[in-house]
Amino acid sequence: MDDSEKFEKRIRGYVEQVRLYEDPSYQESARKTVPVEELQEKALLSLAKEGKHGPSKLEQDHAFLLQLLFWFKQSFRWVHAPPCEHCGNVTTLQEKGVSLPSELQFGASRVELYCCTSCQKVTRFPRFNNPIKLIETRRGRCGEWANCFTFYCRAFGYESRLILDLTDHVWTECFSHLLGRWMHLDPCEAVYDQPLLYEKGWNKKLNYVIAISIDGVRDVTKHYTRKWNEVLSRRNITTEEILSNMLAEITRQCRSAFTSELLSELEDRDKEEKQAREIDTHSMDDSSVSLPGRQSGDKEWRKSRLETGSDEEGSFSCSACPVRKCVDKHVTRIYSALHSILSQLLDKEFSGSTAIEVLVFIQGIVTTLKKSAFRTRRALVDSDAIGMKPLLQRLFPSLKDFLGAMSLDCSLDTDGRVDIWLASEPIYTSLALPVVLDALEEIIQDIKKCDTFGRAFLCLPRLKLNRIHSGSVLASGEELPFGIATSAFDGIRLSKWEEPSGARGCWIMYKVLDNRMEELVAYELMSANDAPERDPMDWIVEGSEDGGTSWHLLDEQTNQMFENRFQRRSFFITETGHLSNAFRFRFLTVCDIKATSKLQIGSIDLYA
């Protein structure tokens, strides 16, 4: 059998594999393993954060697919060398084994045998190909990952293809009706729509990249390269004509039972895709986006494959950020509502311990709501049963306003029972709940640190009114997709803005909504969740009266340190009387410039 025949046999084997994805009982089993409602909520949240509160079906489907990708990355396990199944210690590859009948039943024609470095016993690692088995084992390398994830995509109705890269990698493509084209998804890396990842990030020397689906096979190599002439020189398995005819014949056989209407639709799409690939071949590389080396797999294994790339931290960075709109009006409403509750506690001269008791009670309500189904959130709280009835009756107007800031409504009956329900679209509440929980946690901890509640009230950083919101943000750089510039203004502790090359200087600019002129009286910065070496140390704050053409100095800070993660620090503007419709932070250096090239900040709050 010559190389061309071996190639064809391999491709046909993958065609048989993807046919398994169409089994209705398999698909039903797959869907049962996915937290569908949780992913739907996350998808709607991702759209809401972009200002899309009434997304179309196409937008929702696209967003759900991305959440499915992120969930899969967390739920599947990469196996370089499996731990010893007898004692749990490290193993090393010994040899290839013979498949057992129970393993062959699920397509494991290959079995790797690993010897334990401690007890010397052997652990079997069968390389299963059957996707229903992979749903059970949830482990493997790129072949298992892509096989199982592509199956999941089919189970949720996405047109999907398994992508075989003959230089030893496998991933997925799904047809996005929102984008009107096939979209690259790599489940091992949780990366999407970055087809140049392998050539540009991993430094792969590509040759053949073949898409395999239920309706045929296609050579999609041109979509994954900007060095076609170099790639062409490495395509020596067969001639281009033989390859084209081979793939066309396999595709014809795959479509032999299709209706004429479906055939016509597929042929039109094939033509459009072919034209797009030709355009890709002659497109310039986008130099504003930096792509990382491979992140999945053991580091030494990645190094041995020369796939680590030049970015050791594995970041997707963008130095040509778009203007992003802040969807954070709810954050301002929540801060104001919390101020109202705490002011009332202070006016009634409650002790710090009583204030904490009230806040913990509210925290429990919010936690219950967050755990409930997002489309039908509801809570019924019996305040009398926990001794909170008298306090709640006195605070109920403020509590009602506070819940209103989360797009919730409530009623209080004479027995002290509080009924809470959704007052508008569920996603508004989903946006607000994590902000509230973070704010309550911070406030409770700050009150505990002070000897009196009055002193705590004066020290609490989140209690200033007139937080500026709903503006637009532009930055010198950002990390995609989770370290974007608007993450600094969303009120959530775990999110952050990351500037991949900001350690030696970077900037972020905030334009006020509708060009309103505001006087900045204070601002707050919060340290991010990790990596204290990336905290800002020196910075300048500037204001502009003309939307960012000219600037005047508002504040300057040097040698500032954040002692803890999620530490919020307040800074007050001493120069009064400056009205601005844009503000700019110029971060000059980070805490340890020798240890990192990045800057990160957990949050920025501006107060008028």
Side-chain angles (χ1 to χ4, degrees):
M1 186 182 294
D2 63 20
D3 289 344
S4 180
E5 291 173 322
K6 290 178 183 177
F7 182 70
E8 180 176 355
K9 182 180 180 181
R10 187 176 181 188
I11 296 299
R12 289 187 179 276
Y14 277 101
V15 171
E16 293 303 313
Q17 183 172 311
V18 301
R19 283 180 177 152
L20 294 174
Y21 304 160
E22 306 306 308
D23 186 312
S25 63
Y26 276 20
Q27 292 185 359
E28 178 62 21
S29 296
R31 288 190 292 268
K32 288 179 179 178
T33 66
V34 178
V36 176
E37 185 170 90
E38 178 187 329
L39 300 191
Q40 288 174 338
E41 182 182 12
K42 287 182 176 181
L44 290 172
L45 273 171
S46 69
L47 293 168
K49 288 177 180 179
E50 297 173 6
K52 298 173 183 176
H53 288 288
S56 66
K57 175 73 163 53
L58 295 184
E59 288 173 324
Q60 291 182 55
D61 288 345
H62 183 85
F64 182 86
L65 175 61
L66 300 187
Q67 294 303 323
L68 185 66
L69 174 72
F70 302 146
W71 167 81
F72 187 85
K73 171 67 173 178
Q74 297 301 315
S75 64
F76 217 75
R77 182 164 59 92
W78 182 274
V79 175
H80 179 67
C84 176
E85 60 186 20
H86 304 282
C87 69
N89 281 314
V90 175
T91 64
T92 57
L93 180 62
Q94 187 178 41
E95 60 183 345
K96 299 291 173 67
V98 178
S99 301
L100 302 174
S102 59
E103 294 164 340
L104 287 170
Q105 179 186 352
F106 295 104
S109 57
R110 291 183 299 149
V111 175
E112 299 169 0
L113 302 180
Y114 289 82
C115 182
C116 179
T117 57
S118 179
C119 70
Q120 306 302 310
K121 291 184 178 179
V122 172
T123 293
R124 300 175 66 83
F125 179 36
R127 306 297 301 276
F128 293 115
N129 282 323
N130 188 302
I132 204 68
K133 185 65 175 178
L134 293 175
I135 285 175
E136 175 192 326
T137 63
R138 292 177 176 270
R139 66 175 194 164
R141 300 192 196 111
C142 62
E144 288 90 349
W145 281 64
N147 184 4
C148 193
F149 179 69
T150 309
F151 171 50
Y152 268 120
C153 294
R154 286 298 300 131
F156 282 96
Y158 296 97
E159 296 176 69
S160 309
R161 311 195 292 208
L162 190 65
I163 308 300
L164 172 65
D165 158 30
L166 260 65
T167 64
D168 192 24
H169 192 46
V170 194
W171 59 89
T172 304
E173 282 184 353
C174 286
F175 191 83
S176 169
H177 290 276
L178 179 67
L179 302 177
R181 58 175 172 79
W182 289 95
M183 181 172 68
H184 151 257
L185 302 112
D186 191 321
C188 297
E189 309 288 294
V191 169
Y192 63 92
D193 214 18
Q194 295 289 347
L196 298 185
L197 173 67
Y198 313 107
E199 182 175 80
K200 184 180 177 183
W202 298 17
N203 296 321
K204 263 183 170 290
K205 307 300 182 185
L206 298 171
N207 50 20
Y208 298 92
V209 182
I210 308 297
I212 302 118
S213 69
I214 191 64
D215 58 39
V217 292
R218 302 156 187 84
D219 181 356
V220 294
T221 313
K222 288 182 178 179
H223 184 52
Y224 290 91
T225 181
R226 292 296 178 269
K227 303 175 181 178
W228 174 243
N229 288 334
E230 290 182 25
V231 170
L232 192 60
S233 69
R234 295 191 288 268
R235 289 163 64 99
N236 50 24
I237 291 178
T238 187
T239 67
E240 295 301 304
E241 182 180 5
I242 290 175
L243 174 65
S244 178
N245 291 337
M246 177 199 305
L247 300 185
E249 176 57 22
I250 297 173
T251 298
R252 187 194 65 77
Q253 293 171 12
C254 289
R255 299 177 178 182
S256 59
F258 290 3
T259 64
S260 58
E261 183 179 359
L262 179 56
L263 281 173
S264 177
E265 181 183 331
L266 290 172
E267 287 167 1
D268 288 344
R269 185 186 289 178
D270 288 345
K271 289 177 183 177
E272 291 177 5
E273 184 183 5
K274 186 176 180 180
Q275 291 171 355
R277 283 201 298 269
E278 291 302 322
I279 293 171
D280 288 340
T281 307
H282 299 95
S283 296
M284 296 294 291
D285 187 7
D286 185 358
S287 58
S288 70
V289 178
S290 173
L291 301 178
R294 185 173 192 151
Q295 301 302 300
S296 54
D298 177 83
K299 188 173 183 179
E300 292 306 314
W301 177 74
R302 286 182 278 134
K303 283 185 175 181
S304 71
R305 294 165 61 93
L306 305 177
E307 293 177 350
T308 54
S310 57
D311 185 354
E312 286 293 323
E313 297 194 71
S315 65
F316 281 84
S317 60
C318 180
S319 58
C321 302
V323 175
R324 299 188 183 276
K325 182 172 174 56
C326 287
V327 181
D328 65 334
K329 185 177 180 179
H330 61 285
V331 180
T332 298
R333 291 182 65 198
I334 288 164
Y335 288 4
S336 298
L338 277 169
H339 183 278
S340 177
I341 288 176
L342 289 161
S343 295
Q344 194 170 354
L345 290 172
L346 186 67
D347 290 343
K348 297 183 184 303
E349 299 182 345
F350 286 146
S351 65
S353 60
T354 304
I356 289 174
E357 186 180 357
V358 171
L359 294 173
V360 169
F361 171 70
I362 296 172
Q363 190 179 46
I365 294 174
V366 178
T367 300
T368 299
L369 286 162
K370 192 169 190 306
K371 290 178 180 177
S372 60
F374 86 99
R375 296 185 191 276
T376 56
R377 287 193 203 277
R378 193 156 195 144
L380 184 62
V381 183
D382 188 350
S383 63
D384 193 36
I386 54 175
M388 292 291 295
K389 181 179 176 181
L391 280 173
L392 188 61
Q393 287 175 329
R394 297 168 69 183
L395 293 170
F396 185 71
S398 294
L399 177 63
K400 188 175 178 68
D401 289 342
F402 176 63
L403 292 170
M406 292 181 274
S407 300
L408 295 163
D409 204 350
C410 65
S411 64
L412 175 66
D413 67 17
T414 55
D415 293 324
R417 287 189 296 265
V418 186
D419 190 11
I420 305 168
W421 63 89
L422 290 169
S424 61
E425 286 297 317
I427 205 62
Y428 291 115
T429 303
S430 295
L431 275 172
L433 288 173
V435 177
V436 171
L437 287 172
D438 283 350
L440 285 170
E441 180 63 27
E442 284 187 45
I443 291 169
I444 290 169
Q445 294 304 318
D446 285 338
I447 293 174
K448 288 179 178 179
K449 294 174 185 175
C450 296
D451 54 359
T452 68
F453 179 51
R455 187 185 301 276
F457 185 84
L458 294 173
C459 296
L460 287 173
R462 281 187 176 225
L463 300 186
K464 286 178 286 296
L465 298 176
N466 300 326
R467 178 185 178 275
I468 300 172
H469 62 82
S470 305
S472 56
V473 178
L474 185 64
S476 55
E478 61 184 5
E479 191 136 317
L480 303 171
F482 302 117
I484 62 174
T486 48
S487 294
F489 301 91
D490 63 8
I492 300 173
R493 287 204 301 183
L494 284 177
S495 66
K496 59 187 175 183
W497 169 51
E498 293 182 87
E499 221 289 10
S501 56
R504 296 180 181 275
C506 60
W507 54 267
I508 187 168
M509 181 171 70
Y510 185 100
K511 284 194 173 185
V512 182
L513 178 67
D514 296 331
N515 281 319
R516 289 199 307 264
M517 303 299 289
E518 301 280 13
E519 180 180 357
L520 188 71
V521 297
Y523 64 92
E524 292 168 0
L525 301 181
M526 186 181 73
S527 58
N529 63 317
D530 62 1
E533 68 274 10
R534 301 176 188 171
D535 289 344
M537 185 170 69
D538 301 341
W539 63 83
I540 291 171
V541 183
E542 300 166 308
S544 174
E545 300 175 354
D546 50 21
T549 301
S550 57
W551 298 93
H552 52 263
L553 181 67
L554 295 175
D555 188 47
E556 184 173 5
Q557 299 291 332
T558 58
N559 296 317
Q560 297 295 328
M561 302 295 290
F562 291 85
E563 297 175 0
N564 302 302
R565 300 303 83 206
F566 305 126
Q567 181 185 358
R568 189 177 296 272
R569 299 190 58 197
S570 300
F571 300 89
F572 296 89
I573 306 299
T574 56
E575 293 290 328
T576 60
H578 289 294
L579 291 174
S580 306
N581 57 13
F583 302 99
R584 182 172 66 182
F585 285 78
R586 287 199 290 127
F587 294 104
L588 307 179
T589 188
V590 296
C591 285
D592 190 350
I593 202 167
K594 295 180 180 178
T596 182
S597 62
K598 294 184 177 184
L599 175 138
Q600 65 182 26
I601 193 77
S603 72
I604 301 172
D605 290 301
L606 307 171
Y607 295 93

